[in-house]
Structures are given as structure tokens and as C-alpha cells.
Amino acid sequence: MQHYFIDQKLKLNEEIALPADIYQHAVTVLRMKIGDHFELVDSAHKTFVVEICKLEGKSATAKAIKKLETDNEMPLGISIACGVPKNDKKADLVIEKGTEMGAERFIFFPSQYAVGKWRPNKVERKLTRLQKKVRSAAEQSHRNMVPEVEYIQGIDDLIKLPADYKIVAYEESAKQGEASQLHQQLEMVKNDIKAGKHPSMLAVFGPEGGIAPEEIQKYKAAGFAVCGLGPRILRTESAPLYFLSAVSYATELS
Amino acid sequence: MQHYFIDQKLKLNEEIALPADIYQHAVTVLRMKIGDHFELVDSAHKTFVVEICKLEGKSATAKAIKKLETDNEMPLGISIACGVPKNDKKADLVIEKGTEMGAERFIFFPSQYAVGKWRPNKVERKLTRLQKKVRSAAEQSHRNMVPEVEYIQGIDDLIKLPADYKIVAYEESAKQGEASQLHQQLEMVKNDIKAGKHPSMLAVFGPEGGIAPEEIQKYKAAGFAVCGLGPRILRTESAPLYFLSAVSYATELS
């Protein structure tokens, strides 16, 4: 069933006027008619089945006919922070697939070995573009929320962000055979979840050039766990997807 | 260090003439000179550091100066079988990222709900193109082998392929809350690995349209475990990547 997000709270049996973007997609593109159903996720992340009940000119009204109990969110809140990648296509892949795979927030930041750069006057436009793609991916993957996309000035601000768990994926660790840190972190996360908590996790990934040794020292000093992601070299856009899948497997399927 | 594959067995201190494709990339593109080093993986999946020792006209000779003990392969052999996806871009993503993430073989096959189709006269060309991309991804991710890409005529041939473990990822299972099959399978795989075995696994993924109920019955009858991959709906090209990451996490990092 088609799935959209709306920036207000819904109640069962309530009738609401559809915002222009949903009208445009549901009625103009998909040619939905009176009586047709779709899912609407409200600002409290609750999903309702709604039925189109009025169509007048360029506006439509839908009624919330059923509240769904489905919650497709991860049992923890994951922020994925990526050193600015070489090109937009890589950022697109991370946020699109990362949204499907359950991330709650994406942060891009400039880092020492990065080849790519986001010029200050382009940051806003890039974020708007990515946020739109995230919304569309969240609709397609039937998320209960639309992840946020942010830009942070640099590693000094990044390491100050609050999170219950902080990890940094480091290729050099993997090369030296480090293969237990991620598992140790996720076992602690699982214990938290069992205890009824909803922990937060900040996971940092380097750009194509990797992470500078001085940067790793900063992460370590700020309490980040330095994790390898297996013996194969993952590209900068693949590592966050590996990580999200591993977290989902560990916390949702194990 | 640059990483190439060669279709012959190497011995320490052996001198070999570089094949044209490696010459082209190492000498013409990367401008390597006498004394420069790179990695060469031989037909027995062994990695050697080689040094360029002669450059004459359009040919080069390299000497195997060190044998590396690195083995970046998964402790099991995974075949990823995908219903033919809607477009080549999706197939590219599966084989490129799937190679980074450790798959040993990719199989494409026509399935009932598939929107895409590989015309018989185009299969060979598509496979050649994909195989080239796989090789390049295997070089970049420092694999010890180049995965194979194949096309199979249909599900009846697919289910007959031999494998120690066979699974099919099914969205409808995930929707019904199935969340333990993959874990059960991977626990058995882990026991095999602990016992010194190198098990094989065939994992099947549907195309965009999903898998028909009749097809699921066939898979079940052929002994496939029907697995959910978590509560979020993954696109056809994302599911194999989720799966490979989960298997790597379970068998290499846990």
C-alpha cells in the first residue's frame, strides 16, 4: 500500500485535507479515486490507513479509518556520520539505502583525507536535495519516520554529539585483524534493548581517503570504539550499509 | 597496494610476463616503473607481492618477491541468485557491492513477477560486461578470488543447484514477523565453520515484483529456508547486500 508522511498528528476517524505534495503524487500521478486507501504516518510516527473521501478541484480529503500497530523502526536510534564523499552519487546511495536499512539520521562532515568538498554556499541546497531523497526512500521502505540529513563543520563538533554508543569504522583496524569491537558494542546494545531502553548510536565512516591517524586519536579520546568491518576493503559508501545490516541482524533477527 | 588477478599459478622468486590487461593498467594508466610493487593473486587464490623488474616496449616482467598469508575470503562460499532486476544499474550494484561484501558467485534468473528480461541473444554480452565489473570490484576490495557471474534459465534449474544451505529471502515472511530463520541457518553455518568445514550457501532474492506464492512453494519443497530480512521493506538490489553483511557479521565478527 502507498505510504506517505504528514507533519501533523492524526486521530482515528479524523478527516484531513491532503497536503499538496501528497495530493500531487496520490491523485495526479497514481490516479487514486474516492474510496482508495493508502497509509499516512503522522508526526508521532503512528501509521493510519486512510481513505480518500472527497475530491474537489485540486484538493482532496482523506479519513483515517484504521490505526496500524506496525513499527518498522530499529530498536535503537542510529546516526550515520560520513566524511564528505567524492561525489553526490555516493552520498545518494548512503542516504537512500541507509534509509531502507533503518538509520535515523545522516551527518556529512569534512575530514582531513576527503577528496570531496561541500562549498559553504552549496550546503543548504545539497541538504534539501538529500532530504527529499530520504523522504522518498522512507515512503518506499515503509518507515515510521523520515530520517534527518545534516552537515557538521568538522570532527571537533562531531565528536561532541551526544550518543549512548559511539563507534568509528577504521580500515586499518580491520587490516590488523580487529574483529571483536563491533560485536562487543552490539552485545551491550542488545542488553540495553532487553532492559527496555532505546539506546542511541553514532557511527562514523571515513571518506575515500580514509581516516587520518590524528583523527583516530581524537575519536579514541572522545570515547569512540574503533571497529573493523571484516577483512575485505569496503568502499566509503558500502561501509555504512554493511554496518546498518549488521546492527539490524544483531538486534532484530538474532 | 594495487591488486590484480592472474590466471596462472605463481611461485616465490618466479619472473612472469604481465598479461596485456595488467600491463595496460599498471604501466600505462598508473605509470608504474621498474622497482614498483603490486599484489598479484594467482589461480590458487594465493597473493604475492611482485616487483616490476623489466620494461621493454609494450611488455613488462615482474618478479614474485613475497608470498602473503592474507585470506580475505568468507569462511563459507555464498552464491547470490537474483531474479533479473528491472535495469542494468541494479544488477551492477548487486555484483559490485556484493563482490566487496564477499560473495563467491552471482546468478541471475528469470522469475514470474520480474519486470526485467534478458533476451537470449543478449545474455552473453550482459554476462561479459558484469564479469568485467566483478573483476574490477574484486581488485579494489582485495579479494583472493574473482566471483563468477552466471545466468540460469529458470527457477527449476536454480533449485537443483547443490549447496549445503539454501535460503530464499521473502518479504511476506518478514511482514508476518518472521525473524529467526536466518539466525538459525547462520548458527548452523557457524557450527560447521568451527568444525573446520567450508560450507556452501545459495541465497535467492526476488525481483522488484517479489516472489510468487507458487515459486515459494517450489523453494520450500526443494528444502530452502524461507527467511525474513527485518521489518523494513528492502529494494531488490539492497536485500543481497543486507544478507551478505549479516553473514559476514555473524561468521567473521561474532
mmCIF file of all heavy atoms in Angstrom, chain A residues 12 20 43 53 64 86 88 95 128 153 158 189 210 239:
data_model
loop_
_atom_site.group_PDB
_atom_site.id
_atom_site.type_symbol
_atom_site.label_atom_id
_atom_site.label_comp_id
_atom_site.label_asym_id
_atom_site.label_seq_id
_atom_site.Cartn_x
_atom_site.Cartn_y
_atom_site.Cartn_z
ATOM 1 N N LEU A 12 -8.057 8.651 14.865
ATOM 2 C CA LEU A 12 -8.941 7.746 14.138
ATOM 3 C C LEU A 12 -10.237 8.486 13.781
ATOM 4 O O LEU A 12 -10.755 9.265 14.580
ATOM 5 C CB LEU A 12 -9.242 6.515 15.011
ATOM 6 C CG LEU A 12 -9.763 5.281 14.251
ATOM 7 C CD1 LEU A 12 -8.769 4.810 13.206
ATOM 8 C CD2 LEU A 12 -10.044 4.143 15.239
ATOM 9 N N ALA A 20 -0.342 19.441 -0.506
ATOM 10 C CA ALA A 20 -0.182 19.494 -1.966
ATOM 11 C C ALA A 20 0.712 18.372 -2.506
ATOM 12 O O ALA A 20 0.414 17.781 -3.543
ATOM 13 C CB ALA A 20 0.381 20.857 -2.366
ATOM 14 N N SER A 43 2.921 12.814 12.694
ATOM 15 C CA SER A 43 4.125 13.395 13.310
ATOM 16 C C SER A 43 4.546 12.635 14.570
ATOM 17 O O SER A 43 5.660 12.809 15.052
ATOM 18 C CB SER A 43 3.892 14.866 13.625
ATOM 19 O OG SER A 43 2.735 15.007 14.431
ATOM 20 N N CYS A 53 -12.018 10.506 0.719
ATOM 21 C CA CYS A 53 -13.476 10.632 0.833
ATOM 22 C C CYS A 53 -14.032 11.812 0.052
ATOM 23 O O CYS A 53 -15.232 11.868 -0.208
ATOM 24 C CB CYS A 53 -13.911 10.663 2.297
ATOM 25 S SG CYS A 53 -13.082 11.906 3.274
ATOM 26 N N ALA A 64 -9.079 8.959 8.308
ATOM 27 C CA ALA A 64 -8.281 7.906 8.966
ATOM 28 C C ALA A 64 -9.226 6.793 9.411
ATOM 29 O O ALA A 64 -10.005 6.976 10.343
ATOM 30 C CB ALA A 64 -7.532 8.486 10.153
ATOM 31 N N LYS A 86 33.402 11.685 -2.434
ATOM 32 C CA LYS A 86 33.936 12.310 -3.652
ATOM 33 C C LYS A 86 32.843 12.906 -4.522
ATOM 34 O O LYS A 86 33.041 13.934 -5.141
ATOM 35 C CB LYS A 86 34.703 11.223 -4.435
ATOM 36 C CG LYS A 86 35.799 11.736 -5.292
ATOM 37 C CD LYS A 86 36.801 10.635 -5.634
ATOM 38 C CE LYS A 86 36.202 9.489 -6.412
ATOM 39 N NZ LYS A 86 37.222 8.458 -6.735
ATOM 40 N N ASP A 88 28.287 13.251 -5.457
ATOM 41 C CA ASP A 88 26.912 13.211 -4.942
ATOM 42 C C ASP A 88 26.293 11.826 -5.042
ATOM 43 O O ASP A 88 25.461 11.450 -4.224
ATOM 44 C CB ASP A 88 26.038 14.215 -5.704
ATOM 45 C CG ASP A 88 26.338 15.649 -5.275
ATOM 46 O OD1 ASP A 88 27.082 15.816 -4.286
ATOM 47 O OD2 ASP A 88 25.847 16.587 -5.921
ATOM 48 N N ILE A 95 22.388 7.600 1.704
ATOM 49 C CA ILE A 95 21.145 8.025 2.371
ATOM 50 C C ILE A 95 19.940 7.209 1.881
ATOM 51 O O ILE A 95 19.056 6.906 2.669
ATOM 52 C CB ILE A 95 20.890 9.549 2.257
ATOM 53 C CG1 ILE A 95 20.832 9.997 0.804
ATOM 54 C CG2 ILE A 95 21.949 10.349 2.997
ATOM 55 C CD1 ILE A 95 19.519 10.520 0.417
ATOM 56 N N THR A 128 18.870 19.978 1.137
ATOM 57 C CA THR A 128 17.470 19.963 0.682
ATOM 58 C C THR A 128 17.260 18.823 -0.303
ATOM 59 O O THR A 128 16.275 18.088 -0.233
ATOM 60 C CB THR A 128 17.120 21.309 -0.002
ATOM 61 O OG1 THR A 128 17.464 22.352 0.910
ATOM 62 C CG2 THR A 128 15.645 21.399 -0.354
ATOM 63 N N GLN A 153 30.350 21.018 10.684
ATOM 64 C CA GLN A 153 31.551 21.730 10.219
ATOM 65 C C GLN A 153 32.830 20.914 10.292
ATOM 66 O O GLN A 153 33.759 21.152 9.536
ATOM 67 C CB GLN A 153 31.745 23.023 11.021
ATOM 68 C CG GLN A 153 30.679 24.075 10.759
ATOM 69 C CD GLN A 153 30.632 24.528 9.307
ATOM 70 O OE1 GLN A 153 31.592 24.374 8.559
ATOM 71 N NE2 GLN A 153 29.501 25.063 8.879
ATOM 72 N N LEU A 158 31.642 17.049 15.642
ATOM 73 C CA LEU A 158 31.065 15.702 15.508
ATOM 74 C C LEU A 158 31.254 14.886 16.787
ATOM 75 O O LEU A 158 30.302 14.259 17.275
ATOM 76 C CB LEU A 158 31.742 14.992 14.321
ATOM 77 C CG LEU A 158 31.274 13.577 14.020
ATOM 78 C CD1 LEU A 158 29.832 13.571 13.530
ATOM 79 C CD2 LEU A 158 32.175 12.922 12.976
ATOM 80 N N VAL A 189 24.476 -3.113 23.383
ATOM 81 C CA VAL A 189 23.237 -2.517 22.854
ATOM 82 C C VAL A 189 22.068 -3.483 23.074
ATOM 83 O O VAL A 189 20.984 -3.089 23.522
ATOM 84 C CB VAL A 189 23.399 -2.199 21.349
ATOM 85 C CG1 VAL A 189 22.054 -1.903 20.693
ATOM 86 C CG2 VAL A 189 24.356 -1.027 21.141
ATOM 87 N N GLY A 210 40.119 7.687 3.568
ATOM 88 C CA GLY A 210 40.298 7.064 4.878
ATOM 89 C C GLY A 210 40.368 8.098 5.999
ATOM 90 O O GLY A 210 40.101 9.289 5.786
ATOM 91 N N ALA A 239 30.450 0.851 3.476
ATOM 92 C CA ALA A 239 30.677 0.567 4.899
ATOM 93 C C ALA A 239 29.443 0.884 5.766
ATOM 94 O O ALA A 239 29.061 0.065 6.604
ATOM 95 C CB ALA A 239 31.911 1.324 5.385
#
